Amino acid sequence: VVTYQFGDRQEILDGDTLHQWIETGEDGSVFFRPEDVAGYVSDLASKYNTAYTSRYFQTSYGPTVKVSGSYGWKINETEEAAQLMRILEEGDSQTREPVYEQKAASYNGNDYGDTYAEVNLTAQHMFFYQDGKKVLESDFVSGNVKKNYTTPPGIFGLTYKQQDAVLKGEGYASPVDFWMPFNGGIGLHDANWRSKFGGTIYQNSGSHGCVNLPPDKAAALYDLVYTGIPVICYN
């Protein structure tokens, strides 16, 4: 019996299913069909993966919005199928989690949990929640709409964080003290070249796509975030 644990939920794989996967070779050997093992893992992924799926997010402003993006649970199907095959061949009953390509904060309730950065691209204002409590907020300036550098909405995991980085692009190289990328080359960072944040600045004088923060707010945020933390951007 192999019991898969997904938060409070379980998937139990036992003889009722396993006997259907058994085949006998011409030499009398008995084996589990690899395609059945892989198919079972694929079904688990379809049921429990949340990366790139749509989910609802209750904003600090009241309305609920739908968000999707790279953040979320994602099973490594190839590796998990290989491990499951070994477990079955050895007859090793166990309770396990599958091998993941990436993990999220929770399987119970919303997968992003209650510690995250909320980035309202319309209001040009962000909040940071830690264990469900708002601990930081700030105006910001996001991607320049006029030049088609609009910051895309979505839910992402923080890729990493780095101090003293130089952000480079076509025609610019900008040193920053606190760099927190979450969507390819798009990230949160300090912008000491700006004297004002928020409002409609982003529409004509916005960034190349990044979320520009006041230096003191960026420093405070840098101390709070960690690799993989959800960053939820929405309009």
Side-chain angles (χ1 to χ4, degrees), residues 160 162-169 172-179:
Y160 61 89
Q162 178 186 347
Q163 288 187 262
D164 303 321
V166 179
L167 310 183
K168 296 178 180 178
Y172 73 92
S174 303
V176 299
D177 293 329
F178 304 101
W179 172 229

Side-chain angles (χ1 to χ4, degrees), residues 145-189:
V145 175
K146 189 176 182 180
K147 293 184 178 178
N148 292 321
Y149 293 144
T150 305
T151 304
I155 179 167
F156 312 95
L158 197 77
T159 316
Y160 61 89
K161 65 179 186 177
Q162 178 186 347
Q163 288 187 262
D164 303 321
V166 179
L167 310 183
K168 296 178 180 178
E170 191 173 336
Y172 73 92
S174 303
V176 299
D177 293 329
F178 304 101
W179 172 229
M180 296 162 274
F182 58 83
N183 179 15
I186 295 173
L188 301 132
H189 64 78

Side-chain angles (χ1 to χ4, degrees), residues 55-120:
R55 67 220 83 166
Y56 289 98
F57 174 68
Q58 177 69 51
T59 70
S60 297
Y61 289 83
T64 297
V65 296
K66 188 181 283 188
V67 293
S68 63
S70 58
Y71 182 83
W73 297 98
K74 189 177 182 184
I75 294 172
N76 184 328
E77 295 183 42
T78 301
E79 183 57 32
E80 181 55 35
Q83 292 208 15
L84 178 57
M85 180 64 86
R86 284 196 293 272
I87 290 166
L88 297 178
E89 288 173 347
E90 292 168 5
D92 179 21
S93 290
Q94 60 179 261
T95 297
R96 63 184 275 106
E97 281 193 337
V99 179
Y100 287 105
E101 274 184 47
Q102 62 183 47
K103 293 186 175 185
S106 176
Y107 256 124
N108 301 323
N110 297 312
D111 67 345
Y112 47 80
D114 56 9
T115 298
Y116 54 81
E118 174 184 348
V119 180
N120 186 322

